[in-house]
Structures are given as structure tokens and as C-alpha cells.
Amino acid sequence: MSLSQTEQQILASVPGLAVVSSTGTYAGAGLDLLTVENAGGQATIALQGAHVVSFVPRSGEDVMWISPNSQFTPGEAIRGGIPLCLPWFGPHPQDEDKPKHGFARNEIWTLVEASQTATDVTRVTLELRDNDATRALWPHAFVYRLEISVGKVLHLDLAIEHKGDAPQLHSLALHTYFNVGKVTDAVITGLAGTTFIDTIPKEKPRHKQEGDVQLVGPTDRVYLDVPRTQHINTPARSIKIDSVDTHCAIVWNAWTNADKIADIGPGNYVGYLCVERGDAWEFSPTLQPGQIHHATMTLSVE
């Protein structure tokens, strides 16, 4: 483990917190994983990317989906869970040679705070500051902090602090892969009547959503100006997604195109559905020097 002395002291101060290596559970060269467990539930968080890998409410099943082909290898994004797409979502707006979805999901974050606020709620805060590697891709000063509350529900509060001296455009997403069992059985409510951008065609047409969303093929849509709450309903359960301060919902499944994506692989598209909350396209925020932008999301099972 490569934790600092301060991080080790934080771990030791809160019951139910530990750091383990991914090598015992996942394929790849190995990443440090923060494990959280209390009377309300449990979660696993990779320090690379401040990436929530697993969230299991007490007496429930995992809300997250991790690809069986995902590699837990330093410097490579984890396929599944909740990657942070930041400071840009999708291709870089000026340079497509730069990493898709930004660099935050590939950087090692630092554990800066942890507390048990009740017997069934544990809160941890991870932080990433600009460094030589990030400035080579994004020549701006910043502080990113992700506060994760684990209990019966999972709550994320991503704070993006722009420390540069000029306004800067950002885009972002909490790129959540939900474990739905069988994607064709999953129905998304809470998007009817909104406008979405179909990003698969070159023209990127816009359409109005008629009724609920149920996938029947490859899907990559950015829903705009959406209500704060969506539900994913499956025969087994209903997952509630609540975000009071983001404006977009991205719905994605590669379908059989996943045959060409090595860390998903043939047939594995069936198990997941991405419903990502964030701010992109015309809702991408331009942060002023010193401004802090929040993106929050709460996940629960009903």
C-alpha cells in the first residue's frame, strides 16, 4: 500500500474503514481499494479516480456493475462502477488525442477526511490537486474533492474548484454503471418529455423523449434539462437516482458494439445500464477564478 502517514491515521480513526489490494478480487496489476462498511451498507472505492466500484445496501445486492473483463491496472480506467468524467466529458473539445472523459479517473486521489456520522453512515472525502501530469493535459490549477457518504443510500458530492486566473469551460459526468440483470428488462422513468441528443449519428440529431426509456439497441443519448429524479425499474428492484444540481442525464449501453470493446467483451453488455448525471453540451459550466461547482447524486434502492 502506498498511503501516506496522514492517510493511515485517518483510516485508523474510523471503524469499518480499510485499504486492500484489488488483486484478490479483480484482474490486473492491482490498485488500492478503500473499503467502507457500517450498519447501513458497504462500499468499495478505488483511490485511483476516487472511483466507486461497489455499493451494497445492507441485505441487498450490488447497485453497481463491474465488467468481468475490467482490468484494475494503474493508469487504466476501470470499466464499471462510477468513473468521474472530468474536467471534460467525452472527447476533449479541441484535441481528440487527449484522453476521452478527461484525466480525473486515472489519477491517484488522496484520502483527506473520514468520519462515522452515525452507526449506519460513514463519510469519506478524497481530493485531487493539479500536478505535472494533469498540467500537461490541462494547464490549469484546480482542487477536486469528492465526498462519499455510505449507508443505506450512497451520496456523492463532487466539488470542482477552479484555481486558475481566467474563466474556464468544464464538462463532467458521474458515469454510473448500474447492475440491472438484463438490460432489455430495465425501464427508466423520469425523462419523458425531455429533449435528448442522439450522439451516435454524425449529425447528432435532437429528439423529444416520448414516454419511458427502454433500450432495444446501441444507445448513447444526452438528455438535457432533466428532472432531478429518475428511476431504473427492473423485475428485481427499483433504483432511484436523485441529483438536485446537475442538468443532464446520459443514457448509454454499447449493446453488441461491446464485442469490440476489450474490457466489456462479447455478451457482457446485457448486465449494465448507464444513467449518468452531469453537466455537458450547452449545460457545461464556465467557472470563474475561485469558483466552486458542485455535482451531487444520491442512489437508493426502493
Side-chain angles (χ1 to χ4, degrees), residues 136-216:
L137 297 168
W138 177 262
H140 308 288
F142 63 82
V143 178
Y144 301 153
R145 290 171 69 93
L146 181 66
E147 182 182 281
I148 306 167
S149 294
V150 180
K152 185 178 179 180
V153 305
L154 179 73
H155 178 73
L156 305 182
D157 184 346
L158 175 63
I160 303 164
E161 183 176 2
H162 177 42
K163 304 285 282 187
D165 55 8
Q168 182 59 49
L169 180 69
H170 292 67
S171 58
L172 60 129
L174 304 169
H175 192 320
T176 312
Y177 291 74
F178 290 99
N179 172 20
V180 294
K182 188 176 181 182
V183 66
T184 51
D185 290 339
V187 178
I188 306 168
T189 66
L191 295 174
T194 63
T195 296
F196 69 86
I197 303 166
D198 185 349
T199 69
I200 294 178
K202 182 178 179 181
E203 299 79 10
K204 307 295 186 286
R206 299 189 178 211
H207 305 280
K208 183 177 180 180
Q209 177 64 42
E210 302 291 344
D212 297 333
V213 181
Q214 190 164 14
L215 275 55
V216 295

Side-chain angles (χ1 to χ4, degrees), residues 277-301:
R277 292 302 304 258
D279 291 305
W281 290 75
E282 58 259 45
F283 290 95
S284 301
T286 296
L287 272 59
Q288 301 300 316
Q291 183 178 354
I292 301 176
H293 180 81
H294 284 268
T296 63
M297 181 174 69
T298 302
L299 304 180
S300 57
V301 177

